[in-house]
Amino acid sequence: MTNAPVEAIEVARAQPYPGAPDNWKRFFTFSTDHKVIGIQYIVTSFFFFLVGGLFSMVMRGELITPEADLIDRTVYNALFTMHGSVMLFLWTFPVLVGIGNYLVPLMIGARDMAFPRLNAVSFWLIPVVGVLMIGSFLAPGGPSQSGWWAYPPVSLQNPSGSLINGQVLWLLAVAISGVSSIMGGVNFVTTIFRMRAPGMGWFRMPAFVWSVLAAQLIQLYGLPSLTAGAVMLLLDITAGTSFFAPERGGNPVLYQHFFWFYSHPAVYVMVLPVFGIFSEVIPVHARKPLFGYRVIAVSSILITFISATVWVHHMFASATPSWMRILFMVTSMLVGVPTGIKIFGWVATLWGGKIRLTTPMLFAIAGFVNFVFAGITGIMLASVPIDIHVNNTYFVVGHFHYVIYGTIVYGIYAGLYHWFPKMTGRMYYEGLGKVHFALTLLGTNLTFWPMHPLGLMGMPRRVASYDPEFAFWNVIASLGGFLLGISVLPFILNMVSSWVQGEKAGDNPWRAIGLEWLTSSPPPVENFEEIPTVISGPYGYGKDEPLVATKGSVALGEA
Amino acid sequence: MKFRAIATLTIYAGLTIAISIWMAKESYSWFPPEATAEAKLIDDLFSLFTGLGTAILLGVLGPVVYSLIFHRVSKYDPSDGPHIEGNVTLEVIWTIVPVVLVLGLSFASFSAYEKMNLRGSLDLVHLHLPQMMDSAYAAPFDETPQEEIKDSLQQAAPKEIEVTARQWAWVFRYPDQDVTSTELHLPVNSRVRLALRSEDVIHGFYVPAFRIKQDIVPNHRMELEFTPTRVGQYRLRDSLFSGTYFAANQADVVVQSPEDYQQWLADAASQPLTAAYNPAATEYARATEQTAVLRGWASVVPAPPPVVNYSSQTVPKSPPA
């Protein structure tokens, strides 16, 4: 650093720790700065988003004709397995952990996460998971072909005969991903409980922080179940135990309980932070406080509890007795209540506001409207008689893609555009952002809407070939899928070129209220020169009341 | 001003209701034909959900679109909107309405489910909760029973048909006549009872026109009861992913008049056992001969084609539903 040019000294405050590289190289180090780790998570997982997207486009290529003619059936089965696994374990979970990592300490006025080294370790496990998942394509017999559920007995069948096979690597990857997520969960929960700035009482916390807390609590109670199921399955394959193997007296339905006990709440682990993003983005761009903030905050925690009691709705067609079907139907439908509260709150926030249709706002609004549609089909799926018909058909595939793509990916885009100026100090190109939005909206509906009529007509999911009567809607879905693939190009172009040479954004281009907007863009290593003292609620739009005490004044006491 | 708001609201509400009713009626056309009495119950229920769902979607979409059109500001207007933090009355209403709605829909689903009387894994019910469910089975009907189900239940106990699923074929056996077949033949308007069994992995018995699905778990005895009401040919599909040739694991289901059904049973009983055409086995054999580069990965070897009394020598050919 002795001969460092003047510019380098000026931006030295952006260094993660003294002596660390102050350029792009810091993103390739074992940094303990939550902001660096956040961006490491986001960029790494976005790479896997593209990988998973490529898999899905090959699948849509196969499905554009009824016959299995593009790729071998085993390849198709491997692709849908890896598409789901990569999208969940390497894109949706990590990217949201990344956004949470970046924002939570800034939003609660902390200098970093509670356990910075643990944080770095959780991130660096993600590339390991990625290498195992992608590397399994080279394993004897190819990657796992049993779907991302890995239901035994199909997942126990090992036609390659090799001990190191795709399914074993897949299970290892899932277990490591689980360890990473548990470490992240411990870190987030501790940070939110213990590291809030003076004056930031529970009901002065931004809704995003509430939703991250709610999501990470699910990780803590749910993941042990999935990890246990994965380890037992691994032992069944490698050591010949008989937890789930029916021919040795095991019970394959038991695995389904272990799997869904976590994997249904996992949907809320992903969607809750996105609800949080909607709750942040909409007030800023509508210039109005979040309507019913307290109820929206508490509804996140309600979802944490209700989501623990709904998992059997994935098993209505399994060997599930009637009393269980009915009980879990009622609990599953009840999830509609806290989510409904949020949706009505967002609509009321828009109402009478001063709305600016920026790119993040467009994604947020379209995201929650898509979610309303997904919620309606979700309530249909919760109803036992309807589910008995549409369970395991394309109706389900359409429903959950409206959640995972239409809602969660939209929320991720909204969050990335909204906080891009904070993360980089530069503004993205609004025009390109709107092109990206238009292509995404069109692509989403063309791809996933036709799946609903297909499911009602009786087309099962996970098929490499289908009957000619399903061809029409499949062609449309395939064309939409290719469009969705193209839609990421303006996004990549926008992010890269804006980061390199975008207009300087200033510290608070949206005139937003929130601790993260009080510090510089990008924030210095320690986030705040002085830890602020919070003196009012998080959404003070339309009234003249400062969020924090002015420097030197006495704190007004805890809220 | 207030008059205009009320008028707009009334017109929009009327429109929403009209569209919802239309969608609810339209929803029947999205399904394959109703070939069982149970299908009617499910389609009615789905129609109710569609109507309410449409109303909710439009109810949310209306205010959003209205706001986006009329509450926009110019780039250079720096002012904030009104500082409204919430409204307790509204929040209470929009908590109670969904609660009532989902409880109502749960109840509607429950009563439809009871009328269907599918059995599913009935043995398990008694294993777990004999007291609670006995009463429910003793009186499964309210005042508006599905006549076909009620009538067929009052007939003699249905003859059981054994269904065997394997990787990747379906075999149906009629124990009284000792007839085996790769096509499922059923008599119209009488109660059918299937005993489902899997030889290897979990399969799913699914006939879209029947709206009925049941996973078949190895080592579990599964029962399924329903009442076919429409003569015709339908498609049975494997609904739970069962490995490489999962998509090709299909069979034809033929619903016949009682006379035709008895005739078919008698004819089939006199036929010698022959190997059926099996798409999975055929495709696997072809793939093994193939020397092309892109052959995919190792697959579980399909079971040999089933040897049965009655079989078709082509892929399932039931007409588009």
Side-chain angles (χ1 to χ4, degrees):
Chain A
M1 290 294 284
T2 43
N3 292 324
V6 181
E7 295 82 20
I9 294 167
E10 262 181 18
V11 295
R13 61 191 172 79
Q15 287 180 19
Y17 56 88
D22 57 355
N23 51 26
W24 55 270
K25 282 179 187 150
R26 69 177 183 275
F27 295 110
F28 294 87
T29 64
F30 190 82
S31 172
T32 54
D33 182 348
H34 73 96
K35 299 181 290 299
V36 174
I37 295 174
I39 288 171
Q40 285 175 326
Y41 262 115
I42 294 167
V43 174
T44 311
S45 50
F46 188 77
F47 167 75
F48 288 111
F49 180 47
L50 299 180
V51 173
L54 274 179
F55 292 167
S56 72
M57 282 160 69
V58 178
M59 284 154 63
R60 284 312 328 171
E62 169 67 76
L63 292 176
I64 208 163
T65 56
E67 301 81 24
D69 43 12
L70 182 67
I71 47 176
D72 187 78
R73 289 183 192 271
T74 54
V75 179
Y76 183 86
N77 296 343
L79 284 179
F80 79 67
T81 301
M82 297 317 282
H83 166 72
S85 311
V86 166
M87 285 304 199
L88 291 171
F89 297 114
L90 290 167
W91 156 245
T92 321
F93 282 120
V95 75
L96 288 165
V97 170
I99 293 174
N101 232 304
Y102 197 97
L103 292 176
V104 165
L106 285 168
M107 282 182 162
I108 63 173
R111 296 211 184 277
D112 203 326
M113 296 281 278
F115 310 112
R117 276 186 193 78
L118 192 68
N119 202 13
V121 174
S122 343
F123 165 70
W124 282 103
L125 288 178
I126 298 298
V128 177
V129 174
V131 167
L132 281 173
M133 287 261 185
I134 306 297
S136 73
F137 274 86
L138 303 173
S144 163
Q145 291 162 39
S146 56
W148 82 277
W149 306 347
Y151 271 13
V154 170
S155 55
L156 295 175
Q157 294 184 320
N158 180 11
S160 75
S162 166
L163 188 64
I164 305 295
N165 57 56
Q167 190 67 54
V168 167
L169 294 179
W170 185 91
L171 282 165
L172 280 176
V174 169
I176 295 173
S177 151
V179 171
S180 161
S181 295
I182 292 175
M183 294 197 294
V186 170
N187 215 341
F188 274 112
V189 172
T190 314
T191 306
I192 295 169
F193 266 86
R194 304 293 304 166
M195 311 264 293
R196 280 171 288 136
M200 175 156 288
W202 288 108
F203 283 111
R204 283 184 184 170
M205 252 173 27
F208 179 76
V209 181
W210 273 99
S211 66
V212 168
L213 177 65
Q216 295 299 327
L217 286 171
I218 295 178
Q219 297 281 48
L220 290 186
Y221 78 65
L223 264 167
S225 166
L226 175 74
T227 314
V231 170
M232 283 187 262
L233 193 59
L234 193 66
L235 288 174
D236 269 12
I237 300 175
T238 55
T241 55
S242 55
F243 294 107
F244 310 127
E247 71 277 12
R248 300 196 289 270
N251 183 356
V253 178
L254 183 64
Y255 173 85
Q256 301 181 8
H257 284 287
F258 277 115
F259 181 80
W260 288 117
F261 181 79
Y262 170 67
S263 296
H264 186 80
V267 177
Y268 301 96
V269 175
M270 296 182 282
V271 86
L272 275 165
V274 164
F275 289 162
I277 290 171
F278 293 161
S279 299
E280 298 303 319
V281 169
I282 291 169
V284 174
H285 300 273
R287 313 301 311 165
K288 263 184 75 194
L290 182 61
F291 195 97
Y293 153 67
R294 279 165 186 255
V295 190
I296 286 182
V298 172
S299 71
S300 295
I301 304 295
L302 255 170
I303 291 175
T304 304
F305 285 104
I306 300 178
S307 69
T309 60
V310 301
W311 78 94
V312 177
H313 69 222
H314 292 271
M315 301 164 56
F316 282 160
S318 303
T320 304
S322 293
W323 70 267
M324 221 187 232
R325 285 173 164 172
I326 300 302
L327 176 69
F328 282 89
M329 166 172 82
V330 178
T331 55
S332 302
M333 287 207 186
L334 279 177
V335 180
V337 177
T339 46
I341 290 172
K342 286 176 188 286
I343 287 160
F344 296 133
W346 297 324
V347 174
T349 307
L350 288 176
W351 189 262
K354 305 240 171 186
I355 297 171
R356 261 183 208 87
L357 289 183
T358 57
T359 308
M361 185 66 153
L362 287 169
F363 271 110
I365 294 170
F368 86 71
V369 170
N370 281 340
F371 185 72
V372 176
F373 181 70
I376 291 163
T377 54
I379 294 280
M380 290 171 172
L381 283 164
S383 165
V384 175
I386 297 176
D387 185 74
I388 284 175
H389 175 54
V390 292
N391 177 302
N392 275 332
T393 66
Y394 259 86
F395 191 83
V396 179
V397 181
H399 158 75
F400 75 72
H401 277 95
Y402 263 87
V403 179
I404 288 201
Y405 204 105
T407 310
I408 297 175
V409 174
Y410 278 47
I412 292 165
Y413 281 142
L416 291 181
Y417 280 112
H418 183 73
W419 282 289
F420 184 82
K422 181 50 64 184
M423 293 177 180
T424 63
R426 293 174 187 272
M427 194 44 117
Y428 63 86
Y429 297 110
E430 194 62 60
L432 263 180
K434 290 201 166 115
V435 170
H436 173 218
F437 172 74
L439 289 178
T440 309
L441 187 67
L442 190 64
T444 307
N445 288 296
L446 277 181
T447 313
F448 303 124
W449 193 86
M451 294 180 177
H452 295 87
L454 282 174
L456 293 176
M457 287 159 72
M459 175 173 164
R461 65 191 287 196
R462 303 186 159 159
V463 288
S465 59
Y466 54 83
D467 298 314
E469 72 231 47
F470 302 128
F472 174 74
W473 289 117
N474 270 300
V475 171
I476 293 181
S478 288
L479 296 178
F482 302 141
L483 182 64
L484 218 43
I486 293 167
S487 77
V488 294
L489 298 180
F491 175 70
I492 298 172
L493 180 66
N494 202 350
M495 293 294 112
V496 173
S497 59
S498 311
W499 201 340
V500 175
Q501 54 172 23
E503 205 182 315
K504 295 263 187 220
D507 291 346
N508 189 359
W510 307 123
R511 297 181 297 113
I513 294 172
L515 293 185
E516 79 271 28
W517 299 105
L518 296 178
T519 184
S520 59
S521 296
V525 179
E526 302 261 87
N527 292 348
F528 303 96
E529 279 176 32
E530 189 188 335
I531 294 295
T533 300
V534 181
I535 55 167
S536 61
Y539 304 100
Y541 299 99
K543 69 174 183 182
D544 290 320
E545 199 177 284
L547 178 66
V548 296
T550 43
K551 240 176 231 173
S553 75
V554 187
L556 293 177
E558 301 275 326
Chain B
M1 192 61 202
K2 196 163 185 185
F3 172 76
R4 215 191 82 185
I6 292 171
T8 317
L9 211 68
T10 316
I11 291 171
Y12 187 72
L15 212 65
T16 299
I17 292 169
I19 295 175
S20 302
I21 292 172
W22 177 77
M23 283 285 279
K25 286 183 178 158
E26 195 68 8
S27 77
Y28 288 94
S29 68
W30 305 338
F31 289 96
E34 284 171 357
T36 58
E38 289 74 14
K40 176 93 179 70
L41 288 163
I42 288 179
D43 293 2
D44 287 343
L45 192 64
F46 188 82
S47 169
L48 171 71
F49 277 66
T50 304
L52 284 171
T54 309
I56 291 168
L57 186 64
L58 292 177
V60 172
L61 213 53
V64 170
V65 171
Y66 183 89
S67 306
L68 293 192
I69 294 171
F70 295 107
H71 299 155
R72 298 262 295 281
V73 290
S74 83
K75 201 176 172 182
Y76 304 101
D77 177 0
S79 64
D80 281 355
H83 185 83
I84 304 167
E85 289 189 348
N87 180 322
V88 177
T89 322
L90 259 180
E91 286 164 38
V92 169
I93 291 175
W94 71 46
T95 308
I96 291 175
V97 168
V99 170
V100 172
L101 214 60
V102 297
L103 290 181
L105 289 174
S106 294
F107 183 76
S109 305
F110 175 65
S111 68
Y113 181 70
E114 254 195 336
K115 283 183 217 165
M116 286 164 68
N117 203 19
L118 287 172
R119 297 176 82 88
S121 23
L122 192 64
D123 45 345
L124 292 177
V125 176
H126 290 286
L127 204 68
H128 289 294
L129 266 188
Q131 294 303 310
M132 194 180 117
M133 291 313 290
D134 270 351
S135 60
Y137 281 105
F141 298 114
D142 58 17
E143 299 78 47
T144 55
Q146 205 70 16
E147 285 302 328
E148 296 91 339
I149 304 179
K150 195 181 164 196
D151 293 348
S152 60
L153 271 178
Q154 284 162 352
Q155 296 168 358
K159 293 269 187 290
E160 205 165 73
I161 303 170
E162 293 169 7
V163 178
T164 306
R166 65 169 74 110
Q167 285 173 317
W168 288 266
W170 295 94
V171 178
F172 310 98
R173 182 167 172 272
Y174 299 77
D176 287 355
Q177 295 80 6
D178 197 27
V179 163
T180 50
S181 163
T182 53
E183 244 178 45
L184 177 61
H185 284 244
L186 302 170
V188 74
N189 288 331
S190 60
R191 195 77 177 160
V192 169
R193 178 186 291 177
L194 304 180
L196 308 164
R197 204 169 62 86
S198 163
E199 290 183 351
D200 34 49
V201 299
I202 307 177
H203 296 271
F205 177 96
Y206 178 39
V207 183
F210 293 176
R211 316 281 189 278
I212 277 173
K213 183 182 288 127
Q214 176 63 54
D215 290 358
I216 312 170
V217 182
N219 291 357
H220 276 249
R221 180 190 160 79
M222 323 291 287
E223 273 180 18
L224 196 58
E225 277 196 12
F226 53 93
T227 317
T229 51
R230 187 174 179 276
V231 171
Q233 200 168 26
Y234 310 99
R235 188 68 62 89
L236 161 67
R237 297 196 176 92
D238 192 350
S239 60
L240 192 85
F241 181 67
S242 59
T244 312
Y245 296 95
F246 161 67
N249 195 17
Q250 306 195 0
D252 276 329
V253 181
V254 183
V255 178
Q256 296 168 302
S257 67
E259 303 77 45
D260 290 351
Y261 173 69
Q262 291 303 336
Q263 184 63 46
W264 175 82
L265 269 178
D267 288 352
S270 65
Q271 287 190 25
L273 293 172
T274 45
Y277 172 78
N278 184 263
T282 313
E283 206 177 308
Y284 182 80
R286 211 188 311 135
T288 337
E289 288 160 15
Q290 209 177 341
T291 47
V293 190
L294 251 181
R295 253 193 44 193
W297 288 292
S299 162
V300 171
V301 183
V307 178
V308 290
N309 295 104
Y310 184 91
S311 69
S312 107
Q313 294 301 316
T314 60
V315 290
K317 55 190 180 300
S318 41

